DNA sequence: GTCTATAATCTGATAGAC
DNA sequence: GTCTATCAGATTATAGAC
């Protein structure tokens, strides 16, 4: 498991990146082999040399996108529990989002909606949410041990934070409610204050 | 605006219900006029008598589904603020969900993911989230007035609850994490306690 | 590995009879 | 209003040359 560079050959990575662009342009329902081929300099048929079917390609693509997400999320956060939690939340619900980040969210949401029907997809998103909950849970537990946080049920609080973060992301990507993310950021800080820190 | 019965003719409602079944069976990307026609006793061509294009049909369908959601959500909740809030949360994140409710969530999520790309869809989901936030906000404001709740920023707390509820729903529909919804229910109660009720 | 050409099927949409 | 028949184009996937 030597990061992204070993897992895919050059050709495969080119196809994955073309798929990413095609999906941004046409959406998941509009994704076709022709449209993927349009996004790079090789023909439709060459895709079938690397992938047996469209379904297999899509499962690989989900893998590719989720790996990117994980790599992005797992960057070092070795600080004290309180600011580690802030870093994670800032990473998941940034106050400002550039185009690239925003497009990444869109692609993930469109793929996610397919997890309702496709077991391979479902397992991947189970994995993502479990990763998020586990990471946040560990930070909270560290904070409880060193006295930064109150002795709360860490898993429950982590579930809450992940649900809120995911709900906020969905809101940002599927509505025109531009103030909502900032409000959620504020209320998450407030939640952490009143739930994790002692009653002042 | 005389409820669902006036807004759609019998034929139109039959088509909408057939579309609903087709979408449950094939998903949004697999939705086609033929598959909708398969779900009721009339031909493909008859659909084009009632709708000019597939796009127009889909926008109507979104309207149909969102109306159902709103009707379901807006049932009377005339109690005191504290239990009104509980009722709303129980309605949005039920501990137990029957097949019908679950399928309704799936359809809504699949349609929602299309709001990333389609402005008509985006406006509908803006409307839904605004309705939820406004309803919850009003309950909180009533609670502040009559002394049940602390004098918090009602809009911010409402945004938080809606984000959490939506995140929990997405989790339930797109992962195999069966314990998560119960955890979020608990933590939402805890959030309401520590955020809205006085510091004990 | 990549190409062009093509097969078989499905798509949205329309024409015209009843 | 609903039907059958049909169109033009797109879809996934393969065959066979290079």
């Amino acid at each position: 498991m030597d990061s992204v560079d070993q897992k895919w050959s050059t050709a495969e990575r080119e196809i994955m990146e073309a798929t990413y662009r095609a999906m941004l342009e046409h959406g998941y329902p509009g994704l076709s082999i022709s449209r993927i081929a349009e996004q790079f300099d090789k023909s439709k048929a060459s895709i079938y040399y690397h992938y047996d079917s469209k379904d297999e390609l899509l499962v690989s693509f989900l893998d590719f996108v989720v790996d990117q997400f994980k790599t992005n999320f797992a960057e070092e956060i070795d600080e004290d529990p309180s600011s580690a939690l802030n870093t994670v939340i800032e990473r998941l619900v940034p106050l400002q989002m550039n185009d690239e980040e925003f497009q990444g969210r869109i692609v993930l949401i469109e793929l996610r909606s397919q997890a309702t029907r496709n077991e391979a997809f479902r397992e991947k998103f189970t994995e993502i949410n479990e990763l998020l909950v586990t990471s946040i849970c560990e930070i909270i537990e560290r904070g409880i041990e060193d006295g930064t946080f109150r002795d709360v049920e860490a898993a429950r609080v982590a579930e809450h934070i992940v649900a809120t973060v995911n709900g906020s992301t969905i809101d940002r990507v599927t509505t025109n409610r531009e103030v909502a993310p900032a409000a959620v950021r504020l209320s998450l800080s407030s939640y952490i204050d009143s739930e994790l820190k002692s009653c002042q």
Side-chain angles (χ1 to χ4, degrees), chain A:
Chain A
M1 219 168 285
D2 247 70
S3 102
V4 181
D5 306 317
Q6 306 287 83
K7 200 165 177 177
W8 285 278
S9 69
T10 312
E12 284 167 341
R13 206 165 53 253
E14 273 171 15
I15 294 174
M16 293 296 98
E17 276 155 12
T19 306
Y20 194 90
R21 288 191 292 274
M23 190 157 157
L24 277 175
E25 194 163 326
H26 306 288
Y28 185 89
L31 205 53
S32 72
I33 303 291
S34 320
R35 273 155 173 182
I36 294 169
E38 274 171 16
Q39 297 292 330
F40 73 140
D41 61 349
K42 294 185 184 142
S43 73
K44 274 197 315 182
S46 81
I47 294 174
Y48 283 101
Y49 176 81
H50 297 281
Y51 299 94
D52 287 346
S53 66
K54 189 190 175 186
D55 265 20
E56 199 202 286
L57 184 152
L58 287 174
V59 172
S60 285
F61 179 61
L62 176 60
D63 224 51
F64 178 78
V65 170
V66 168
D67 268 17
Q68 280 189 309
F69 173 83
K70 283 173 161 178
T71 307
N72 217 31
F73 175 73
E75 273 170 26
E76 286 307 313
I77 29 165
D78 237 347
E79 315 150 66
D80 68 296
S82 191
S83 63
L85 204 50
N86 278 340
T87 305
V88 163
I89 288 169
E90 164 65 27
R91 207 167 280 170
L92 294 174
V93 197
L95 284 177
Q96 295 234 342
M97 229 185 237
N98 60 35
D99 279 4
E100 205 188 336
E101 283 179 304
F102 196 76
Q103 288 165 354
R105 266 30 175 222
I106 290 179
V107 168
L108 265 178
I109 293 289
E110 285 209 66
L111 291 175
R112 182 159 216 145
S113 78
Q114 293 313 302
T116 54
R117 212 167 301 286
N118 180 322
E119 185 53 30
F121 277 42
R122 209 178 173 81
E123 272 160 27
K124 273 285 163 193
F125 286 101
T126 304
E127 203 182 310
I128 288 189
N129 273 25
E130 223 119 68
L131 168 73
L132 294 181
V133 168
T134 305
S135 307
I136 292 172
C137 203
E138 279 168 11
I139 295 173
I140 295 173
E141 276 163 355
R142 269 200 292 132
I144 294 173
E145 271 172 48
D146 77 1
T148 313
F149 298 145
R150 279 166 45 196
D151 187 21
V152 296
E153 220 182 298
R156 186 174 52 68
V157 175
E159 288 286 355
H160 184 104
I161 293 173
V162 169
T164 310
V165 155
N166 282 338
S168 166
T169 302
I170 284 270
D171 190 300
R172 191 174 333 207
V173 171
T174 65
T175 74
N176 299 317
R177 307 179 62 248
E178 274 146 39
V179 289
V184 169
R185 268 295 291 275
L186 270 176
S187 75
L188 259 180
S189 304
S190 169
Y191 170 70
I192 287 165
D193 275 3
S194 62
E195 187 82 7
L196 290 181
K197 309 202 170 148
S198 47
C199 196
Q200 62 276 30

mmCIF file of all heavy atoms in Angstrom, chain A residues 7-32:
data_model
loop_
_atom_site.group_PDB
_atom_site.id
_atom_site.type_symbol
_atom_site.label_atom_id
_atom_site.label_comp_id
_atom_site.label_asym_id
_atom_site.label_seq_id
_atom_site.Cartn_x
_atom_site.Cartn_y
_atom_site.Cartn_z
ATOM 1 N N LYS A 7 -0.360 2.210 -6.659
ATOM 2 C CA LYS A 7 -1.633 1.510 -6.804
ATOM 3 C C LYS A 7 -2.159 1.554 -8.235
ATOM 4 O O LYS A 7 -2.819 0.633 -8.687
ATOM 5 C CB LYS A 7 -2.660 2.147 -5.854
ATOM 6 C CG LYS A 7 -3.853 1.271 -5.544
ATOM 7 C CD LYS A 7 -4.573 1.838 -4.341
ATOM 8 C CE LYS A 7 -5.831 1.053 -3.992
ATOM 9 N NZ LYS A 7 -6.466 1.598 -2.783
ATOM 10 N N TRP A 8 -1.852 2.636 -8.950
ATOM 11 C CA TRP A 8 -2.326 2.754 -10.320
ATOM 12 C C TRP A 8 -1.162 2.961 -11.286
ATOM 13 O O TRP A 8 -0.249 3.751 -11.017
ATOM 14 C CB TRP A 8 -3.293 3.923 -10.463
ATOM 15 C CG TRP A 8 -4.652 3.644 -9.900
ATOM 16 C CD1 TRP A 8 -5.672 2.970 -10.523
ATOM 17 C CD2 TRP A 8 -5.162 4.027 -8.632
ATOM 18 N NE1 TRP A 8 -6.761 2.908 -9.697
ATOM 19 C CE2 TRP A 8 -6.490 3.545 -8.533
ATOM 20 C CE3 TRP A 8 -4.626 4.730 -7.551
ATOM 21 C CZ2 TRP A 8 -7.286 3.738 -7.406
ATOM 22 C CZ3 TRP A 8 -5.418 4.921 -6.421
ATOM 23 C CH2 TRP A 8 -6.720 4.436 -6.358
ATOM 24 N N SER A 9 -1.218 2.315 -12.423
ATOM 25 C CA SER A 9 -0.234 2.558 -13.482
ATOM 26 C C SER A 9 -0.488 3.943 -14.071
ATOM 27 O O SER A 9 -1.524 4.561 -13.822
ATOM 28 C CB SER A 9 -0.384 1.506 -14.578
ATOM 29 O OG SER A 9 -1.595 1.700 -15.264
ATOM 30 N N THR A 10 0.492 4.412 -14.853
ATOM 31 C CA THR A 10 0.333 5.730 -15.478
ATOM 32 C C THR A 10 -0.948 5.796 -16.298
ATOM 33 O O THR A 10 -1.715 6.754 -16.195
ATOM 34 C CB THR A 10 1.539 6.034 -16.391
ATOM 35 O OG1 THR A 10 2.730 5.738 -15.670
ATOM 36 C CG2 THR A 10 1.545 7.476 -16.820
ATOM 37 N N ALA A 11 -1.155 4.774 -17.109
ATOM 38 C CA ALA A 11 -2.346 4.751 -17.972
ATOM 39 C C ALA A 11 -3.624 4.794 -17.134
ATOM 40 O O ALA A 11 -4.540 5.559 -17.426
ATOM 41 C CB ALA A 11 -2.332 3.507 -18.851
ATOM 42 N N GLU A 12 -3.645 3.981 -16.092
ATOM 43 C CA GLU A 12 -4.830 3.947 -15.241
ATOM 44 C C GLU A 12 -5.072 5.299 -14.577
ATOM 45 O O GLU A 12 -6.214 5.765 -14.506
ATOM 46 C CB GLU A 12 -4.677 2.850 -14.181
ATOM 47 C CG GLU A 12 -4.899 1.451 -14.732
ATOM 48 C CD GLU A 12 -4.451 0.360 -13.775
ATOM 49 O OE1 GLU A 12 -3.655 0.653 -12.856
ATOM 50 O OE2 GLU A 12 -4.889 -0.785 -13.943
ATOM 51 N N ARG A 13 -3.987 5.920 -14.110
ATOM 52 C CA ARG A 13 -4.164 7.214 -13.449
ATOM 53 C C ARG A 13 -4.672 8.265 -14.437
ATOM 54 O O ARG A 13 -5.515 9.093 -14.090
ATOM 55 C CB ARG A 13 -2.861 7.671 -12.784
ATOM 56 C CG ARG A 13 -3.120 8.611 -11.625
ATOM 57 C CD ARG A 13 -1.931 8.830 -10.709
ATOM 58 N NE ARG A 13 -0.738 9.232 -11.399
ATOM 59 C CZ ARG A 13 0.324 8.441 -11.588
ATOM 60 N NH1 ARG A 13 0.314 7.192 -11.145
ATOM 61 N NH2 ARG A 13 1.383 8.889 -12.212
ATOM 62 N N GLU A 14 -4.184 8.182 -15.665
ATOM 63 C CA GLU A 14 -4.686 9.105 -16.695
ATOM 64 C C GLU A 14 -6.183 8.913 -16.925
ATOM 65 O O GLU A 14 -6.932 9.886 -17.060
ATOM 66 C CB GLU A 14 -3.935 8.889 -18.014
ATOM 67 C CG GLU A 14 -2.652 9.704 -18.112
ATOM 68 C CD GLU A 14 -1.824 9.305 -19.339
ATOM 69 O OE1 GLU A 14 -2.366 8.627 -20.235
ATOM 70 O OE2 GLU A 14 -0.627 9.667 -19.389
ATOM 71 N N ILE A 15 -6.596 7.654 -16.946
ATOM 72 C CA ILE A 15 -8.024 7.374 -17.134
ATOM 73 C C ILE A 15 -8.835 7.881 -15.940
ATOM 74 O O ILE A 15 -9.895 8.485 -16.104
ATOM 75 C CB ILE A 15 -8.264 5.861 -17.351
ATOM 76 C CG1 ILE A 15 -7.634 5.425 -18.677
ATOM 77 C CG2 ILE A 15 -9.752 5.537 -17.338
ATOM 78 C CD1 ILE A 15 -7.677 3.928 -18.926
ATOM 79 N N MET A 16 -8.309 7.676 -14.738
ATOM 80 C CA MET A 16 -9.009 8.150 -13.540
ATOM 81 C C MET A 16 -9.155 9.670 -13.546
ATOM 82 O O MET A 16 -10.216 10.206 -13.198
ATOM 83 C CB MET A 16 -8.246 7.706 -12.277
ATOM 84 C CG MET A 16 -8.240 6.213 -12.021
ATOM 85 S SD MET A 16 -9.888 5.521 -11.698
ATOM 86 C CE MET A 16 -10.362 4.870 -13.292
ATOM 87 N N GLU A 17 -8.091 10.353 -13.961
ATOM 88 C CA GLU A 17 -8.162 11.814 -13.992
ATOM 89 C C GLU A 17 -9.122 12.301 -15.082
ATOM 90 O O GLU A 17 -9.837 13.289 -14.893
ATOM 91 C CB GLU A 17 -6.763 12.416 -14.163
ATOM 92 C CG GLU A 17 -6.032 12.529 -12.825
ATOM 93 C CD GLU A 17 -4.507 12.538 -12.957
ATOM 94 O OE1 GLU A 17 -3.995 12.679 -14.080
ATOM 95 O OE2 GLU A 17 -3.830 12.392 -11.900
ATOM 96 N N ALA A 18 -9.141 11.585 -16.188
ATOM 97 C CA ALA A 18 -10.097 11.919 -17.253
ATOM 98 C C ALA A 18 -11.531 11.685 -16.770
ATOM 99 O O ALA A 18 -12.436 12.483 -17.056
ATOM 100 C CB ALA A 18 -9.813 11.081 -18.497
ATOM 101 N N THR A 19 -11.714 10.606 -16.000
ATOM 102 C CA THR A 19 -13.043 10.315 -15.458
ATOM 103 C C THR A 19 -13.486 11.424 -14.513
ATOM 104 O O THR A 19 -14.648 11.857 -14.543
ATOM 105 C CB THR A 19 -13.031 8.965 -14.705
ATOM 106 O OG1 THR A 19 -12.524 7.946 -15.578
ATOM 107 C CG2 THR A 19 -14.424 8.577 -14.243
ATOM 108 N N TYR A 20 -12.540 11.888 -13.716
ATOM 109 C CA TYR A 20 -12.819 12.991 -12.786
ATOM 110 C C TYR A 20 -13.311 14.223 -13.547
ATOM 111 O O TYR A 20 -14.329 14.818 -13.198
ATOM 112 C CB TYR A 20 -11.556 13.311 -12.001
ATOM 113 C CG TYR A 20 -11.769 14.174 -10.785
ATOM 114 C CD1 TYR A 20 -12.028 13.595 -9.548
ATOM 115 C CD2 TYR A 20 -11.694 15.557 -10.863
ATOM 116 C CE1 TYR A 20 -12.215 14.381 -8.415
ATOM 117 C CE2 TYR A 20 -11.890 16.343 -9.744
ATOM 118 C CZ TYR A 20 -12.144 15.749 -8.525
ATOM 119 O OH TYR A 20 -12.334 16.530 -7.407
ATOM 120 N N ARG A 21 -12.580 14.577 -14.599
ATOM 121 C CA ARG A 21 -12.977 15.753 -15.385
ATOM 122 C C ARG A 21 -14.330 15.545 -16.064
ATOM 123 O O ARG A 21 -15.175 16.448 -16.084
ATOM 124 C CB ARG A 21 -11.900 16.070 -16.425
ATOM 125 C CG ARG A 21 -10.618 16.653 -15.840
ATOM 126 C CD ARG A 21 -9.702 17.194 -16.931
ATOM 127 N NE ARG A 21 -9.155 16.136 -17.781
ATOM 128 C CZ ARG A 21 -8.054 15.437 -17.500
ATOM 129 N NH1 ARG A 21 -7.384 15.671 -16.379
ATOM 130 N NH2 ARG A 21 -7.618 14.505 -18.322
ATOM 131 N N ALA A 22 -14.532 14.338 -16.600
ATOM 132 C CA ALA A 22 -15.807 14.047 -17.275
ATOM 133 C C ALA A 22 -16.967 14.136 -16.291
ATOM 134 O O ALA A 22 -18.045 14.650 -16.615
ATOM 135 C CB ALA A 22 -15.759 12.659 -17.909
ATOM 136 N N MET A 23 -16.728 13.662 -15.078
ATOM 137 C CA MET A 23 -17.790 13.685 -14.088
ATOM 138 C C MET A 23 -18.117 15.107 -13.656
ATOM 139 O O MET A 23 -19.283 15.444 -13.442
ATOM 140 C CB MET A 23 -17.394 12.856 -12.874
ATOM 141 C CG MET A 23 -18.558 12.668 -11.967
ATOM 142 S SD MET A 23 -18.384 11.253 -10.932
ATOM 143 C CE MET A 23 -19.493 11.762 -9.632
ATOM 144 N N LEU A 24 -17.080 15.951 -13.544
ATOM 145 C CA LEU A 24 -17.321 17.350 -13.207
ATOM 146 C C LEU A 24 -18.135 18.024 -14.306
ATOM 147 O O LEU A 24 -18.991 18.851 -14.038
ATOM 148 C CB LEU A 24 -16.000 18.088 -13.018
ATOM 149 C CG LEU A 24 -15.360 17.949 -11.645
ATOM 150 C CD1 LEU A 24 -14.013 18.621 -11.618
ATOM 151 C CD2 LEU A 24 -16.269 18.536 -10.567
ATOM 152 N N GLU A 25 -17.857 17.647 -15.552
ATOM 153 C CA GLU A 25 -18.526 18.313 -16.672
ATOM 154 C C GLU A 25 -19.941 17.795 -16.895
ATOM 155 O O GLU A 25 -20.840 18.570 -17.211
ATOM 156 C CB GLU A 25 -17.686 18.131 -17.950
ATOM 157 C CG GLU A 25 -18.096 19.052 -19.074
ATOM 158 C CD GLU A 25 -17.025 19.173 -20.156
ATOM 159 O OE1 GLU A 25 -15.820 19.125 -19.823
ATOM 160 O OE2 GLU A 25 -17.403 19.282 -21.356
ATOM 161 N N HIS A 26 -20.133 16.477 -16.743
ATOM 162 C CA HIS A 26 -21.430 15.901 -17.128
ATOM 163 C C HIS A 26 -22.209 15.299 -15.972
ATOM 164 O O HIS A 26 -23.351 14.878 -16.166
ATOM 165 C CB HIS A 26 -21.201 14.836 -18.201
ATOM 166 C CG HIS A 26 -20.427 15.315 -19.381
ATOM 167 N ND1 HIS A 26 -20.963 16.176 -20.319
ATOM 168 C CD2 HIS A 26 -19.152 15.087 -19.786
ATOM 169 C CE1 HIS A 26 -20.054 16.441 -21.245
ATOM 170 N NE2 HIS A 26 -18.936 15.796 -20.946
ATOM 171 N N GLY A 27 -21.602 15.199 -14.794
ATOM 172 C CA GLY A 27 -22.289 14.573 -13.663
ATOM 173 C C GLY A 27 -22.285 13.060 -13.753
ATOM 174 O O GLY A 27 -22.030 12.502 -14.816
ATOM 175 N N TYR A 28 -22.607 12.413 -12.632
ATOM 176 C CA TYR A 28 -22.576 10.952 -12.620
ATOM 177 C C TYR A 28 -23.535 10.323 -13.638
ATOM 178 O O TYR A 28 -23.146 9.415 -14.380
ATOM 179 C CB TYR A 28 -22.874 10.428 -11.212
ATOM 180 C CG TYR A 28 -22.733 8.938 -11.094
ATOM 181 C CD1 TYR A 28 -21.526 8.343 -10.774
ATOM 182 C CD2 TYR A 28 -23.838 8.099 -11.330
ATOM 183 C CE1 TYR A 28 -21.400 6.963 -10.684
ATOM 184 C CE2 TYR A 28 -23.722 6.721 -11.230
ATOM 185 C CZ TYR A 28 -22.511 6.157 -10.913
ATOM 186 O OH TYR A 28 -22.400 4.798 -10.837
ATOM 187 N N PRO A 29 -24.766 10.798 -13.714
ATOM 188 C CA PRO A 29 -25.679 10.174 -14.682
ATOM 189 C C PRO A 29 -25.233 10.385 -16.131
ATOM 190 O O PRO A 29 -25.590 9.602 -16.996
ATOM 191 C CB PRO A 29 -27.018 10.889 -14.432
ATOM 192 C CG PRO A 29 -26.887 11.524 -13.098
ATOM 193 C CD PRO A 29 -25.453 11.853 -12.930
ATOM 194 N N GLY A 30 -24.473 11.416 -16.383
ATOM 195 C CA GLY A 30 -24.031 11.706 -17.741
ATOM 196 C C GLY A 30 -22.664 11.144 -18.061
ATOM 197 O O GLY A 30 -22.091 11.437 -19.113
ATOM 198 N N LEU A 31 -22.149 10.332 -17.156
ATOM 199 C CA LEU A 31 -20.807 9.768 -17.346
ATOM 200 C C LEU A 31 -20.870 8.604 -18.328
ATOM 201 O O LEU A 31 -21.617 7.655 -18.119
ATOM 202 C CB LEU A 31 -20.290 9.270 -15.990
ATOM 203 C CG LEU A 31 -18.780 9.174 -15.768
ATOM 204 C CD1 LEU A 31 -18.097 10.481 -16.096
ATOM 205 C CD2 LEU A 31 -18.508 8.786 -14.322
ATOM 206 N N SER A 32 -20.119 8.690 -19.415
ATOM 207 C CA SER A 32 -20.072 7.588 -20.377
ATOM 208 C C SER A 32 -18.632 7.377 -20.821
ATOM 209 O O SER A 32 -17.785 8.257 -20.652
ATOM 210 C CB SER A 32 -20.946 7.890 -21.586
ATOM 211 O OG SER A 32 -20.348 8.897 -22.374
#
